[in-house]
């Protein structure tokens, strides 16, 4: 109700507002938004992501980080920024995998929602940013922070926004882009229209207005497409952060604008609550997650685009599963925690590699610039 009231107040003030603004309030309003009200990933949460399947995903990411560290000449300081970190499941499993780069590692969790951020300190030993990084001489926010070379890692810090760090870094984002507010466009007889949200009495209704930036895309009347300007801007910002020699790695369900135009929009805009598909995106604002498949063609062109299954294989998931099988063979009769963890790698791998599920996600990589 809080979010609906805020949306209604905005509409009363300004007239019909962009769809992206409604999604922003529904997800991130600091009092009534879905994430402020406790929505989160995980078996006991609302949706299951790869890091929440178990520790195997993070163990593979740890290998990928080691490879990047090796490629960079094993620098004394190696910064990894994980954006949209949720309550920190990926960070925990990366660190638990004890990557070789750990002594050099500055691991920065970035999470917009305060309630999720609060969970970081519950599960991880956090350092203060000043220990991991030194600011410029006058502590100016625009001045990039330089990693403290003397400190021995892993040093873990938690922030609400992307930092400005000098030197190369790896920016990781699992299922962030699909959660960045998006607009909607609809093909009408007069061309592309922007889907806005207005009020009919006290009911939220869609209102179509001519699109300010109509796309050059032919589609059937009534077809809809997402407008992912904010996700694209986020990738560009992450690329700047990763520059000069770092990398941005985003893992998400993705498609193309043209392909989405051929499908009903409620198939690629999905809502979730407690592991069930939710209601219409304009219903129950703040009570359900709202996500949108990522239109890869609307983002800066990636340097690499692999399925999650191929990316995990390229970074050694099969070796880790084989290692798990061997441990299970040795320890099954003991039946201790190590044996159980080893056995669960097999089932985790099945979920992470499933081409009709998580394995079909796209891992997009961009160079820092
Ligand atoms: C779908 S969840 C994924 C969480 C986690 N990465 C995982 O895979 O389990 C997306 C998270 O991104 C956060 N988020 C959204 N926009 C953000 C932004 N601009 N910067 C940082 N976090 C953001 C949300 O609050 C939410 O916790």
């Amino acid at each position: 109700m809080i979010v609906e009231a805020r949306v209604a107040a905005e509409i009363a003030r300004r007239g019909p507002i962009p769809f992206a603004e409604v999604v922003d309030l529904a997800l991130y309003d600091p009092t009534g938004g879905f994430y402020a009200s406790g929505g989160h990933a995980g078996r006991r949460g609302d949706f299951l992501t790869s890091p929440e399947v178990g520790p195997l995903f993070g163990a593979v990411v740890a290998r990928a980080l080691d490879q990047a560290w090796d490629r960079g000449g094993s620098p004394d300081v190696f910064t990894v920024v994980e954006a949209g970190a949720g309550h920190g499941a990926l960070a925990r499993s990366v660190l638990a995998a004890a990557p070789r780069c750990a002594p050099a590692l500055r691991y920065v969790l970035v999470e917009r929602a305060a309630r999720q951020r609060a969970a970081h300190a519950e599960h991880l030993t956090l350092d203060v940013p000043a220990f991991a990084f030194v600011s410029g001489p006058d502590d100016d926010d625009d001045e990039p922070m330089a990693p403290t070379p003397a400190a021995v890692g892993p040093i873990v810090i938690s922030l609400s926004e992307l930092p400005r760090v000098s030197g190369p870094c790896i920016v990781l984002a699992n299922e962030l882009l699909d959660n960045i507010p998006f607009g909607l466009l609809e093909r009408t007889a007069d061309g592309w229209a922007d889907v806005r949200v207005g009020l009919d009495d006290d009911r939220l209704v869609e209102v179509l207005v001519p699109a300010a930036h109509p796309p050059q895309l032919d589609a059937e009347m009534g077809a809809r497409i997402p407008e992912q300007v904010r996700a694209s801007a986020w990738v560009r910002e992450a690329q700047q952060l990763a520059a000069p020699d770092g990398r941005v790695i985003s893992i998400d369900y993705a498609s193309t604008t043209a392909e989405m135009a051929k499908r009903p929009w409620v198939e690629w805009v999905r809502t979730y609550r407690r592991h069930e598909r939710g209601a219409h995106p304009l219903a129950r604002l703040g009570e359900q997650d709202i996500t949108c498949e990522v239109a890869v063609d609307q983002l800066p062109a990636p340097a690499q685009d692999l399925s999650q299954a191929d990316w995990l294989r390229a970074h050694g998931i099969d070796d880790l599963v084989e290692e798990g099988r061997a441990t299970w063979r040795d320890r099954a009769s003991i039946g201790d925690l190590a044996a159980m963890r080893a056995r669960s790698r097999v089932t985790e791998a099945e979920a992470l590699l499933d081409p009709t599920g998580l394995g079909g996600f796209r891992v997009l990589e961009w160079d820092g610039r």
Side-chain angles (χ1 to χ4, degrees):
M1 289 313 283
I2 298 172
V3 175
E4 251 147 39
R6 281 209 213 295
V7 169
E10 270 314 293
I11 297 168
R13 209 163 60 81
R14 294 159 46 204
I17 61 174
F19 195 83
E21 279 188 41
V22 178
V23 175
D24 201 319
L25 287 166
L27 294 179
Y28 304 114
D29 180 84
T31 37
F34 171 72
Y35 284 109
S37 319
H40 64 87
R43 289 186 202 283
R44 278 176 288 174
D46 298 273
F47 47 85
L48 200 63
T49 58
S50 295
E52 298 285 352
V53 166
L56 180 59
F57 184 76
V60 181
V61 170
R63 284 193 163 206
L65 294 178
D66 274 342
Q67 285 169 11
W69 184 57
D70 291 343
R71 267 199 310 275
S74 314
D76 291 344
V77 173
F78 181 54
T79 308
V80 172
V81 175
E82 189 203 335
H87 55 190
L90 179 58
R92 269 181 279 150
S93 49
V94 166
L95 296 168
R100 283 182 289 104
C101 64
L105 191 58
R106 308 290 181 266
Y107 196 105
V108 184
L109 295 96
V110 179
E111 170 52 52
R112 180 175 175 183
R115 186 144 170 190
Q116 306 253 47
R117 228 169 31 249
H120 298 168
E122 287 168 25
H123 306 291
L124 294 158
T125 307
L126 298 180
D127 287 291
V128 289
F131 185 55
F133 299 99
V134 278
S135 294
D138 48 5
D139 249 3
D140 182 346
D141 272 357
D142 286 340
E143 193 66 33
M145 301 186 294
T148 318
V152 172
I155 292 173
V156 184
I157 66 168
S158 166
L159 301 174
S160 60
E161 286 178 12
L162 287 181
R164 301 227 311 126
V165 177
S166 66
C169 74
I170 303 288
V171 184
L172 280 176
N174 190 65
E175 293 205 36
L176 166 68
L177 295 183
D178 70 82
N179 237 198
I180 291 188
F182 53 91
L184 277 181
L185 297 178
E186 179 172 318
R187 181 79 167 83
T188 68
D190 300 324
W192 287 99
D194 189 20
V195 178
R196 295 188 164 228
V197 180
L199 274 177
D200 181 10
D201 287 332
D202 56 357
R203 221 165 45 87
L204 296 179
V205 290
E206 293 180 353
V207 177
L208 300 186
V209 302
H213 305 288
Q216 299 298 314
L217 177 73
D218 206 17
E220 279 185 17
M221 207 72 72
R224 286 190 166 187
I225 54 172
E227 197 179 44
Q228 294 178 324
V229 180
R230 296 191 194 191
S232 176
W234 183 88
V235 172
R236 282 195 304 276
E237 194 185 343
Q239 283 184 284
Q240 279 168 17
L241 170 59
D245 297 317
R247 198 97 163 150
V248 180
I249 306 174
S250 157
I251 305 157
D252 228 311
Y253 32 94
S255 186
T256 63
T257 312
E259 194 273 334
M260 283 190 253
K262 297 191 183 115
R263 289 159 59 202
W265 74 285
V266 283
E267 221 176 272
W268 41 264
V269 172
R270 289 188 283 268
T271 60
Y272 293 96
R273 188 187 154 78
R274 304 256 171 273
H275 296 282
E276 302 278 337
R277 288 293 277 273
H280 186 280
L282 291 183
R284 308 184 69 168
L285 294 179
E287 293 175 28
Q288 54 183 7
D289 190 16
I290 306 175
T291 73
C292 183
E293 281 179 30
V294 178
V296 178
D297 54 298
Q298 294 190 31
L299 305 177
Q304 183 178 293
D305 174 355
L306 291 177
S307 71
Q308 170 160 309
D310 286 346
W311 190 89
L312 292 174
R313 290 205 167 95
H315 292 96
I317 192 169
D318 294 331
D319 294 346
L320 288 170
V321 171
E322 204 34 62
E323 222 175 82
R325 281 206 181 93
T327 305
W328 172 247
R329 278 195 296 273
D330 291 349
R331 304 188 74 87
S333 58
I334 308 171
D336 62 358
L337 194 60
M340 294 305 158
R341 281 210 182 113
R343 189 176 60 167
S344 88
R345 277 194 181 172
V346 177
T347 42
E348 285 176 48
E350 278 166 14
L352 297 174
L353 297 172
D354 176 2
T356 64
L358 294 169
F361 279 26
R362 307 306 304 175
V363 183
L364 306 173
E365 297 196 18
W366 296 268
D367 291 323
R369 63 178 53 183

